[in-house]
Amino acid sequence: MSPAIILHSPQLGENIGAAARVMRNFGLTDLRLVTPRDGWPNPAADTMSAGAFEAGVTVRVFDSLPEALDGITWLAAATARLRGIEKRVGDAAEAADIAFERLGAGRSAIMFGAEKSGLPNDAVAVSDFLMTYPVDPDFKSLNLAQAVCVFCAEWGRRREDSGRVISQDKAKLGEPAPRDELYRMFEHFEDELERAGYFFPPEKTPLMKDNLRAALIRADWTRQEVQTFRGAIKALALGRGKARVDRDD
């Protein structure tokens, strides 16, 4: 149940291998790649991994972020820019604290963007937490594998702290909603808003959707809450009982 590390559109195999190496150093083994530029497997990654793949780091490759978030219930996005999206913001230590505290309540993931451009806005919008490092503002360039290392070291510190009590508070509220269910809820909500003519003008639709998702994600949904909200969307769109309307989709 240790956090997964997600590399979104990584470019260099060397960085993937180096990231895997430092993950294994600190007890992390779940590495997920979203559309790696040079494909997978990559011989350059093997060279830089120093045997991390043979030592237990597993790699899965996905065509989209929603697929990569399978089973994830809490997501931190590493970013140097806060993007103007209202999110909880903290450093690697705080991200590791939250991930550790949620060990009894689902799976967490830490997501890093491409070497050149970082994370796209739609990926940041569906994160729960923005993780940023206190780098010198005059030189913010941080290698991808180095960025992964900063978080992994913080995670390793907590992993060694055997006296810490894992919080079960969130688990008591209900099973956290995995990201695939949240994506389906977002799409259901957005489809009905589209039908109602909410997204106007058309060129602002992507930004409006990102802002809606960023607002909704802060609720830290349980599976039951997702089901309830989707039922409410359906009732608003179609009605219930005598108020139900027939609609050809």
Side-chain angles (χ1 to χ4, degrees):
M1 295 301 290
S2 298
I5 297 296
I6 299 174
L7 304 184
H8 194 301
S9 304
Q11 297 169 270
L12 299 176
E14 291 87 346
N15 281 334
I16 297 173
R21 178 177 181 174
V22 76
M23 285 174 60
R24 190 63 187 87
N25 287 154
F26 295 103
L28 297 166
T29 58
D30 184 357
L31 177 57
R32 307 184 186 192
L33 309 179
V34 180
T35 59
R37 185 190 66 181
D38 296 336
W40 190 264
N42 188 318
D46 286 332
T47 302
M48 288 296 294
S49 72
F53 301 120
E54 292 79 6
V57 174
T58 61
V59 180
R60 286 182 284 170
V61 181
F62 301 90
D63 293 328
S64 69
L65 179 59
E67 293 174 320
L69 292 175
D70 178 43
I72 299 302
T73 59
W74 185 82
L75 177 66
T79 179
R81 297 177 291 117
L82 300 185
R83 319 293 181 100
I85 298 176
E86 294 185 6
K87 296 282 185 185
R88 183 176 177 181
V89 180
D91 58 15
E94 189 172 359
D97 280 341
I98 297 171
F100 196 89
E101 289 166 0
R102 294 179 64 93
L103 280 175
R107 192 71 177 272
S108 299
I110 314 298
M111 177 172 56
F112 299 83
E115 292 91 328
K116 184 176 180 180
S117 57
L119 288 167
N121 285 338
D122 60 347
V124 174
V126 298
S127 66
D128 299 282
F129 182 89
L130 299 186
M131 182 178 71
T132 187
Y133 298 159
V135 295
D136 189 323
D138 293 328
F139 193 75
K140 295 182 179 181
S141 178
L142 191 65
N143 173 268
L144 174 59
Q146 292 171 337
V148 173
C149 181
V150 174
F151 171 79
C152 290
E154 290 291 348
W155 175 260
R157 187 188 315 233
R158 284 145 190 81
R159 181 170 167 265
E160 291 298 310
D161 185 5
S162 59
R164 182 160 181 169
V165 177
I166 297 174
S167 170
Q168 298 290 330
D169 292 343
K170 181 61 181 175
K172 292 177 183 177
L173 294 177
E175 184 181 356
R179 274 305 192 276
D180 61 314
E181 294 185 12
L182 285 177
Y183 269 104
R184 288 196 291 272
M185 182 187 77
F186 294 153
E187 291 164 357
H188 184 184
F189 189 36
E190 290 159 4
D191 286 347
E192 294 301 338
L193 289 174
E194 186 80 52
R195 193 187 303 275
Y198 174 77
F199 295 114
F200 185 86
E203 61 270 18
K204 290 189 177 181
T205 296
L207 177 59
M208 295 172 75
K209 288 184 177 180
D210 285 347
N211 286 335
L212 283 169
R213 292 184 177 194
L216 289 170
I217 208 76
R218 287 197 296 274
D220 201 9
W221 300 76
T222 65
R223 301 188 85 160
Q224 181 58 55
E225 289 168 341
V226 168
Q227 293 172 9
T228 300
F229 190 68
R230 292 196 65 178
I233 296 170
K234 185 176 180 180
L236 285 172
L238 300 177
R240 295 186 64 185
K242 293 181 180 180
R244 186 176 178 84
V245 297
D246 292 325
R247 188 178 72 190
D248 295 327
D249 291 322

